[in-house]
Amino acid sequence: MKTYDTVVVGAGATGLTCAWRLAEAGQDVLVLEARDRVGGRLRTEDHNGSDFEIGGQWVSPDQEALIALLEELGLETYSRFREGESLYVDAAGVARRFTGEDLPVEEQTAKEIDRLIGVVDDLAAQMDPDRPWEHPQAAELDAVSFAQWLDAQTTDAEARDNIALYLGPAMLTKPTHSFSALTAVLMSASAGSFTHLVDADFILDKRVVGGLASVPAALAERLGERVRLSADVTHVDWSESGAVVTVDGEQIATRNVVLALPPTHVRRIRITPELPAEHRHAREHQSFGLVIKVQAEYDTPFWREAGRSGTGFGPWQLVHEVYDNTLHGKETGTLVGFVSDLNADAMGRLSADERQAAILASLASYFGDAALTPRTYVESDWQHQELTGGAYATSFDVGSLTRWGAKLHEPVGPIRFGSSDIAGHGFQHVDGAVRMGTRLAQQLLEQPSLGS
Ligand code: FDA
C-alpha cells in the first residue's frame, strides 16, 4: 500500500493552506474533503443571477497572513462602501443618523462606552492570543461570563448593551452569558485590540473580487489531483509510526494526519486508539455560535441616494448590524445583516416566510419601507449543515479556555489538529485559518522524518 507523507482531512482554508505549503516543500500530500466542493465555511452562490458570499467575506488590515496569501495568489480586493451617514436604532426603535465612529447616544453614555473600550483594550494588550490561558488575570476572567463581568463594570445599560453587542452577537455569536470574559478578551486580542473590533471600517474593510472563496479555490487548483472531494473520513487508526485513514471503506496509509476541522467535528471521526481523555473533554466543551447572515438585493442601492452608507447598528434589533454589501461593479444594491444567538434560535422556529418577513421588517427599521421588497433575499444556512453546524465558528464555554485551551493544539501520535477556531491571531477568521495551516505545515516539515 502506498504511504503518503501527510493526509489532510478537510479542504477549508486551514487544510488547503497546510497542504499547499507541504506540497510546495515536495511532500506527498493528499487532502480528503467530505463535501463535494472545497472551501468549507467559504462559499459563493449564484441567486437570481448575482453572486452572494454565504460564508466569510471580509478582510481587515491586521490580517497579514491572509493579505499575504491573497497577494501570492494574485487575488484583488475592493473596499466596502461606507460613504455617507450611518444609522443607530435606539432602544425605542428610533433610527438616528451619525457619522464617524461615535454612536449618537447621550454624552455620558458615549464616555462610558469609550471607558469600557479602554478597559478591554488594556486587558487585550496583556494577552498573547496564542496563549490566552497565560494572561495575568486568566483564571478570574475565565471564571465569569462576559455578561457578569460587564454588569460589574458599569451601571449604564446602553453602554453595556453596546459593548455586549460587539463581542456577543457580532463576533462570538453566542449570548454573552455563555462565554467567559477571557474569551471576549481573546477575541479582542486576536484582532489587535478591542478598538479594532468596534471599528467597522477597520474590521470589515475589504472584500475579494470574486469572493473570499476564491482563496480555497485557487489553492485547490494548485493542488490539483491531490484534493479528493466527497471523501468523508470516518476512521483514523494510528500508531506512533503512522496512521491509516478510512474513507468509504478504502484505507489510506500515511505517516502524518492533519485534522483541519472545527474542534466539534473531530468527534465525528472514530479515532483508534481513542484520544486521551483530556482531548475529548476539551472538544466536548467547544460549540458553534449561531448567526443567520441575511442578504437582500435591491434594484438600486436606494440608501445611497438618501445619503446613507448602509451601515447600521441596533443592539435591540432583530438584525443587530447591517452593511452595504453591493458587489464590485454591480448596479443593483445589496444589504447584508446578521441575526444572532437567541434571536437566531427564535427565527429558526418560524417558517421561511415568517422569518423573511420579520427580518425584512427589522431592515426597514433602519432604511424604511423600501427595504421590505428586495428582488432577491438569501439566508446562509450553516446551522443545517452537519459538516459545519453553526456560524461563524466554535468557542469554549465559561471556564474551559484556561482548563483545556492548550490541549486543542497538542498532537496525538501522528495526528495534528487545526482550524481557524483554535487560532490566536485571526481567531475565528480566515486569517487564523491561514496561520494555522501554515504553522501545521512548518511543524510537520521540521519533524526529523519529514523535514530533511
Ligand atoms: P472549515 O469549517 O471552513 O473547513 C473544515 C472542512 O472540513 C470543511 O470543508 C468540512 O466539510 C470538512 N470536513 C469536516 N469533517 C470532515 C471529515 N470527517 N472528512 C473530510 N472532511 C471533513 N471569516 C473572515 O475572515 N471574514 C468574514 O467576514 C467571515 N464571515 C463569516 C460569515 C459566516 C456566515 C461564516 C459561517 C463564517 C465567517 N467567517 C469569516 C469565518 C471563516 O469563514 C472561518 O473562520 C474559516 O473559513 C474556517 O476555515 P477552516 O478551514 O478552519 O474550517
Side-chain angles (χ1 to χ4, degrees), residues 38-58:
V38 299
R41 281 171 268 171
L42 297 176
R43 175 167 173 75
T44 300
E45 286 178 5
D46 181 306
H47 290 268
N48 207 8
S50 293
D51 281 348
F52 289 85
E53 291 193 71
I54 299 300
Q57 63 168 67
W58 281 299

PDB file of all heavy atoms in Angstrom, residues 38-58:
ATOM      1  N   VAL A  38     -14.660  22.375  -2.325  1.00  0.00           N
ATOM      2  CA  VAL A  38     -13.686  22.845  -1.330  1.00  0.00           C
ATOM      3  C   VAL A  38     -14.204  24.141  -0.702  1.00  0.00           C
ATOM      4  O   VAL A  38     -15.204  24.696  -1.144  1.00  0.00           O
ATOM      5  CB  VAL A  38     -12.291  23.087  -1.965  1.00  0.00           C
ATOM      6  CG1 VAL A  38     -11.742  21.814  -2.557  1.00  0.00           C
ATOM      7  CG2 VAL A  38     -12.335  24.219  -2.998  1.00  0.00           C
ATOM      8  N   GLY A  39     -13.525  24.604   0.334  1.00  0.00           N
ATOM      9  CA  GLY A  39     -13.825  25.925   0.897  1.00  0.00           C
ATOM     10  C   GLY A  39     -14.433  25.906   2.280  1.00  0.00           C
ATOM     11  O   GLY A  39     -14.343  26.895   2.999  1.00  0.00           O
ATOM     12  N   GLY A  40     -15.110  24.823   2.661  1.00  0.00           N
ATOM     13  CA  GLY A  40     -15.721  24.778   3.985  1.00  0.00           C
ATOM     14  C   GLY A  40     -16.632  25.964   4.199  1.00  0.00           C
ATOM     15  O   GLY A  40     -17.594  26.166   3.447  1.00  0.00           O
ATOM     16  N   ARG A  41     -16.300  26.798   5.204  1.00  0.00           N
ATOM     17  CA  ARG A  41     -17.151  27.946   5.547  1.00  0.00           C
ATOM     18  C   ARG A  41     -16.965  29.136   4.600  1.00  0.00           C
ATOM     19  O   ARG A  41     -17.423  30.234   4.887  1.00  0.00           O
ATOM     20  CB  ARG A  41     -16.883  28.368   6.998  1.00  0.00           C
ATOM     21  CG  ARG A  41     -17.573  27.476   8.002  1.00  0.00           C
ATOM     22  CD  ARG A  41     -17.114  27.774   9.414  1.00  0.00           C
ATOM     23  NE  ARG A  41     -15.986  26.948   9.814  1.00  0.00           N
ATOM     24  CZ  ARG A  41     -15.278  27.108  10.918  1.00  0.00           C
ATOM     25  NH1 ARG A  41     -15.573  28.102  11.738  1.00  0.00           N
ATOM     26  NH2 ARG A  41     -14.273  26.286  11.219  1.00  0.00           N
ATOM     27  N   LEU A  42     -16.300  28.911   3.486  1.00  0.00           N
ATOM     28  CA  LEU A  42     -16.197  29.937   2.445  1.00  0.00           C
ATOM     29  C   LEU A  42     -16.930  29.432   1.211  1.00  0.00           C
ATOM     30  O   LEU A  42     -16.609  28.353   0.696  1.00  0.00           O
ATOM     31  CB  LEU A  42     -14.726  30.213   2.099  1.00  0.00           C
ATOM     32  CG  LEU A  42     -13.888  30.766   3.250  1.00  0.00           C
ATOM     33  CD1 LEU A  42     -12.429  30.902   2.827  1.00  0.00           C
ATOM     34  CD2 LEU A  42     -14.428  32.108   3.716  1.00  0.00           C
ATOM     35  N   ARG A  43     -17.898  30.197   0.755  1.00  0.00           N
ATOM     36  CA  ARG A  43     -18.683  29.720  -0.382  1.00  0.00           C
ATOM     37  C   ARG A  43     -19.371  30.898  -1.056  1.00  0.00           C
ATOM     38  O   ARG A  43     -19.907  31.791  -0.387  1.00  0.00           O
ATOM     39  CB  ARG A  43     -19.741  28.740   0.122  1.00  0.00           C
ATOM     40  CG  ARG A  43     -20.706  28.244  -0.940  1.00  0.00           C
ATOM     41  CD  ARG A  43     -21.479  27.058  -0.393  1.00  0.00           C
ATOM     42  NE  ARG A  43     -22.554  26.605  -1.258  1.00  0.00           N
ATOM     43  CZ  ARG A  43     -22.370  25.915  -2.384  1.00  0.00           C
ATOM     44  NH1 ARG A  43     -21.153  25.655  -2.813  1.00  0.00           N
ATOM     45  NH2 ARG A  43     -23.399  25.510  -3.097  1.00  0.00           N
ATOM     46  N   THR A  44     -19.360  30.896  -2.386  1.00  0.00           N
ATOM     47  CA  THR A  44     -20.132  31.881  -3.153  1.00  0.00           C
ATOM     48  C   THR A  44     -21.223  31.138  -3.896  1.00  0.00           C
ATOM     49  O   THR A  44     -20.961  30.103  -4.508  1.00  0.00           O
ATOM     50  CB  THR A  44     -19.222  32.632  -4.152  1.00  0.00           C
ATOM     51  OG1 THR A  44     -18.190  33.300  -3.408  1.00  0.00           O
ATOM     52  CG2 THR A  44     -20.010  33.667  -4.943  1.00  0.00           C
ATOM     53  N   GLU A  45     -22.449  31.663  -3.811  1.00  0.00           N
ATOM     54  CA  GLU A  45     -23.581  31.036  -4.512  1.00  0.00           C
ATOM     55  C   GLU A  45     -24.206  32.043  -5.471  1.00  0.00           C
ATOM     56  O   GLU A  45     -24.256  33.242  -5.170  1.00  0.00           O
ATOM     57  CB  GLU A  45     -24.668  30.612  -3.516  1.00  0.00           C
ATOM     58  CG  GLU A  45     -24.324  29.392  -2.703  1.00  0.00           C
ATOM     59  CD  GLU A  45     -25.404  29.031  -1.677  1.00  0.00           C
ATOM     60  OE1 GLU A  45     -26.476  29.685  -1.659  1.00  0.00           O
ATOM     61  OE2 GLU A  45     -25.166  28.126  -0.892  1.00  0.00           O
ATOM     62  N   ASP A  46     -24.733  31.508  -6.573  1.00  0.00           N
ATOM     63  CA  ASP A  46     -25.478  32.352  -7.511  1.00  0.00           C
ATOM     64  C   ASP A  46     -26.966  32.287  -7.157  1.00  0.00           C
ATOM     65  O   ASP A  46     -27.529  31.210  -7.043  1.00  0.00           O
ATOM     66  CB  ASP A  46     -25.250  31.823  -8.931  1.00  0.00           C
ATOM     67  CG  ASP A  46     -25.992  32.671  -9.962  1.00  0.00           C
ATOM     68  OD1 ASP A  46     -27.209  32.851  -9.806  1.00  0.00           O
ATOM     69  OD2 ASP A  46     -25.366  33.140 -10.916  1.00  0.00           O
ATOM     70  N   HIS A  47     -27.558  33.451  -6.949  1.00  0.00           N
ATOM     71  CA  HIS A  47     -29.011  33.524  -6.750  1.00  0.00           C
ATOM     72  C   HIS A  47     -29.543  34.590  -7.688  1.00  0.00           C
ATOM     73  O   HIS A  47     -29.101  35.740  -7.622  1.00  0.00           O
ATOM     74  CB  HIS A  47     -29.348  33.898  -5.295  1.00  0.00           C
ATOM     75  CG  HIS A  47     -29.035  32.815  -4.314  1.00  0.00           C
ATOM     76  ND1 HIS A  47     -29.940  31.858  -3.913  1.00  0.00           N
ATOM     77  CD2 HIS A  47     -27.881  32.522  -3.661  1.00  0.00           C
ATOM     78  CE1 HIS A  47     -29.378  31.032  -3.049  1.00  0.00           C
ATOM     79  NE2 HIS A  47     -28.122  31.409  -2.878  1.00  0.00           N
ATOM     80  N   ASN A  48     -30.468  34.178  -8.548  1.00  0.00           N
ATOM     81  CA  ASN A  48     -31.135  35.158  -9.399  1.00  0.00           C
ATOM     82  C   ASN A  48     -30.123  35.980 -10.209  1.00  0.00           C
ATOM     83  O   ASN A  48     -30.295  37.188 -10.400  1.00  0.00           O
ATOM     84  CB  ASN A  48     -31.968  36.078  -8.492  1.00  0.00           C
ATOM     85  CG  ASN A  48     -33.149  36.684  -9.197  1.00  0.00           C
ATOM     86  OD1 ASN A  48     -33.457  36.315 -10.328  1.00  0.00           O
ATOM     87  ND2 ASN A  48     -33.785  37.645  -8.554  1.00  0.00           N
ATOM     88  N   GLY A  49     -29.033  35.328 -10.621  1.00  0.00           N
ATOM     89  CA  GLY A  49     -28.052  35.994 -11.482  1.00  0.00           C
ATOM     90  C   GLY A  49     -27.001  36.819 -10.768  1.00  0.00           C
ATOM     91  O   GLY A  49     -26.184  37.467 -11.421  1.00  0.00           O
ATOM     92  N   SER A  50     -26.996  36.803  -9.436  1.00  0.00           N
ATOM     93  CA  SER A  50     -25.967  37.562  -8.695  1.00  0.00           C
ATOM     94  C   SER A  50     -25.213  36.628  -7.760  1.00  0.00           C
ATOM     95  O   SER A  50     -25.778  35.668  -7.238  1.00  0.00           O
ATOM     96  CB  SER A  50     -26.607  38.667  -7.845  1.00  0.00           C
ATOM     97  OG  SER A  50     -27.171  39.656  -8.653  1.00  0.00           O
ATOM     98  N   ASP A  51     -23.940  36.968  -7.526  1.00  0.00           N
ATOM     99  CA  ASP A  51     -23.134  36.196  -6.579  1.00  0.00           C
ATOM    100  C   ASP A  51     -23.403  36.663  -5.154  1.00  0.00           C
ATOM    101  O   ASP A  51     -23.447  37.875  -4.890  1.00  0.00           O
ATOM    102  CB  ASP A  51     -21.642  36.405  -6.876  1.00  0.00           C
ATOM    103  CG  ASP A  51     -21.190  35.551  -8.048  1.00  0.00           C
ATOM    104  OD1 ASP A  51     -21.956  34.652  -8.458  1.00  0.00           O
ATOM    105  OD2 ASP A  51     -20.083  35.805  -8.550  1.00  0.00           O
ATOM    106  N   PHE A  52     -23.529  35.711  -4.252  1.00  0.00           N
ATOM    107  CA  PHE A  52     -23.691  36.025  -2.831  1.00  0.00           C
ATOM    108  C   PHE A  52     -22.639  35.239  -2.056  1.00  0.00           C
ATOM    109  O   PHE A  52     -22.538  34.019  -2.219  1.00  0.00           O
ATOM    110  CB  PHE A  52     -25.093  35.633  -2.335  1.00  0.00           C
ATOM    111  CG  PHE A  52     -26.184  36.521  -2.863  1.00  0.00           C
ATOM    112  CD1 PHE A  52     -26.748  36.279  -4.103  1.00  0.00           C
ATOM    113  CD2 PHE A  52     -26.630  37.605  -2.118  1.00  0.00           C
ATOM    114  CE1 PHE A  52     -27.750  37.110  -4.603  1.00  0.00           C
ATOM    115  CE2 PHE A  52     -27.628  38.436  -2.609  1.00  0.00           C
ATOM    116  CZ  PHE A  52     -28.190  38.192  -3.851  1.00  0.00           C
ATOM    117  N   GLU A  53     -21.899  35.942  -1.206  1.00  0.00           N
ATOM    118  CA  GLU A  53     -20.937  35.263  -0.336  1.00  0.00           C
ATOM    119  C   GLU A  53     -21.698  34.771   0.892  1.00  0.00           C
ATOM    120  O   GLU A  53     -22.169  35.568   1.702  1.00  0.00           O
ATOM    121  CB  GLU A  53     -19.808  36.207   0.040  1.00  0.00           C
ATOM    122  CG  GLU A  53     -18.925  36.531  -1.160  1.00  0.00           C
ATOM    123  CD  GLU A  53     -17.624  37.193  -0.760  1.00  0.00           C
ATOM    124  OE1 GLU A  53     -16.755  36.530  -0.194  1.00  0.00           O
ATOM    125  OE2 GLU A  53     -17.486  38.403  -1.026  1.00  0.00           O
ATOM    126  N   ILE A  54     -21.786  33.467   0.994  1.00  0.00           N
ATOM    127  CA  ILE A  54     -22.632  32.835   2.003  1.00  0.00           C
ATOM    128  C   ILE A  54     -21.906  32.703   3.341  1.00  0.00           C
ATOM    129  O   ILE A  54     -22.520  32.719   4.398  1.00  0.00           O
ATOM    130  CB  ILE A  54     -23.056  31.432   1.481  1.00  0.00           C
ATOM    131  CG1 ILE A  54     -23.861  31.586   0.187  1.00  0.00           C
ATOM    132  CG2 ILE A  54     -23.796  30.619   2.505  1.00  0.00           C
ATOM    133  CD1 ILE A  54     -25.115  32.402   0.313  1.00  0.00           C
ATOM    134  N   GLY A  55     -20.600  32.571   3.275  1.00  0.00           N
ATOM    135  CA  GLY A  55     -19.797  32.433   4.497  1.00  0.00           C
ATOM    136  C   GLY A  55     -18.923  33.653   4.702  1.00  0.00           C
ATOM    137  O   GLY A  55     -19.384  34.786   4.555  1.00  0.00           O
ATOM    138  N   GLY A  56     -17.646  33.420   5.027  1.00  0.00           N
ATOM    139  CA  GLY A  56     -16.732  34.537   5.287  1.00  0.00           C
ATOM    140  C   GLY A  56     -16.528  35.398   4.057  1.00  0.00           C
ATOM    141  O   GLY A  56     -16.560  34.901   2.931  1.00  0.00           O
ATOM    142  N   GLN A  57     -16.333  36.692   4.284  1.00  0.00           N
ATOM    143  CA  GLN A  57     -16.145  37.574   3.133  1.00  0.00           C
ATOM    144  C   GLN A  57     -15.186  38.738   3.378  1.00  0.00           C
ATOM    145  O   GLN A  57     -14.526  39.186   2.462  1.00  0.00           O
ATOM    146  CB  GLN A  57     -17.499  38.119   2.662  1.00  0.00           C
ATOM    147  CG  GLN A  57     -18.243  38.985   3.677  1.00  0.00           C
ATOM    148  CD  GLN A  57     -19.413  39.729   3.039  1.00  0.00           C
ATOM    149  OE1 GLN A  57     -20.389  39.118   2.629  1.00  0.00           O
ATOM    150  NE2 GLN A  57     -19.301  41.047   2.951  1.00  0.00           N
ATOM    151  N   TRP A  58     -15.098  39.257   4.628  1.00  0.00           N
ATOM    152  CA  TRP A  58     -14.333  40.484   4.827  1.00  0.00           C
ATOM    153  C   TRP A  58     -12.891  40.215   5.238  1.00  0.00           C
ATOM    154  O   TRP A  58     -12.584  39.199   5.872  1.00  0.00           O
ATOM    155  CB  TRP A  58     -14.987  41.345   5.913  1.00  0.00           C
ATOM    156  CG  TRP A  58     -16.169  42.108   5.424  1.00  0.00           C
ATOM    157  CD1 TRP A  58     -16.198  43.044   4.433  1.00  0.00           C
ATOM    158  CD2 TRP A  58     -17.520  41.998   5.901  1.00  0.00           C
ATOM    159  NE1 TRP A  58     -17.483  43.527   4.273  1.00  0.00           N
ATOM    160  CE2 TRP A  58     -18.307  42.913   5.162  1.00  0.00           C
ATOM    161  CE3 TRP A  58     -18.135  41.236   6.883  1.00  0.00           C
ATOM    162  CZ2 TRP A  58     -19.664  43.082   5.369  1.00  0.00           C
ATOM    163  CZ3 TRP A  58     -19.486  41.398   7.098  1.00  0.00           C
ATOM    164  CH2 TRP A  58     -20.244  42.312   6.347  1.00  0.00           C
TER     165      TRP A  58
END
